[in-house]
Amino acid sequence: MEQGTKTILVVEDDKALNQAVVFKLKRKGYNPVSVFTAEDAMKVLEEGADKIDFIWLDILLPGMSGLDFLKLVRENKKLKDKKVAIVSVSGGYEKQKEAEDLGVVDYIIKSNYDLNDIIEIVSKDINNK
């Protein structure tokens, strides 16, 4: 299974959702790395950016927001080309536009899909873009 080698950084502060996402990504053959804050996500990237193939990013996080984190990623030479999908309850036009301007491969509103559908969408993003 080709995607088995893909490592996904899951940045989601809702503990139950984070655990469910990690479980479902593992079942699809991915290697998820789970964090609850943007600050912890940045540490993971600083320690081994080359190991992370894709970032699942919530916007509403404690401390640094997902969009502020994404700006830092895009400003960093080593990280700027990382594929990122926003998966958030926050779906205002302004945030979506800002995320698109920052080069996200997808912007998924959690309330529009069930988790299995989101996993399928993200899986396509990981492997196709």
Side-chain angles (χ1 to χ4, degrees):
M1 193 182 289
E2 179 194 325
Q3 68 222 36
T5 59
K6 304 272 184 177
T7 299
I8 316 307
L9 178 58
V10 178
V11 190
E12 169 60 63
D13 66 316
D14 180 301
K15 297 223 182 330
L17 180 57
N18 189 310
Q19 289 174 334
V21 169
V22 166
F23 176 78
K24 290 180 180 287
L25 287 172
K26 280 184 183 172
R27 289 198 53 199
K28 294 229 19 121
Y30 296 110
N31 176 33
V33 175
S34 159
V35 296
F36 300 100
T37 68
E39 291 84 356
D40 286 344
M42 195 51 80
K43 283 182 200 154
V44 169
L45 290 172
E46 286 167 359
E47 291 167 8
D50 54 328
K51 296 182 183 109
I52 302 297
D53 299 298
F54 194 89
I55 301 170
W56 169 304
L57 181 62
D58 189 9
I59 288 182
L60 301 173
L61 297 166
M64 184 191 311
S65 77
L67 286 175
D68 287 340
F69 166 79
L70 184 56
K71 287 174 195 163
L72 289 178
V73 167
R74 294 300 183 233
E75 290 167 3
N76 184 309
K77 278 186 195 157
K78 282 195 271 184
L79 307 176
K80 66 180 175 66
D81 296 326
K82 290 288 176 201
K83 290 197 243 178
V84 179
I86 301 279
V87 184
S88 183
V89 294
S90 179
Y93 173 77
E94 308 261 323
K95 285 187 177 161
Q96 286 188 13
K97 175 84 173 90
E98 188 174 355
E100 285 172 16
D101 291 346
L102 289 167
V104 297
V105 296
D106 220 331
Y107 194 112
I108 303 161
I109 309 297
K110 291 176 188 173
S111 57
N112 292 351
Y113 304 93
D114 75 19
L115 184 55
N116 289 325
D117 291 337
I118 294 173
I119 296 288
E120 286 304 315
I121 293 166
V122 169
S123 190
K124 286 178 185 151
D125 292 338
I126 293 165
N127 293 303
N128 295 337
K129 295 184 180 173

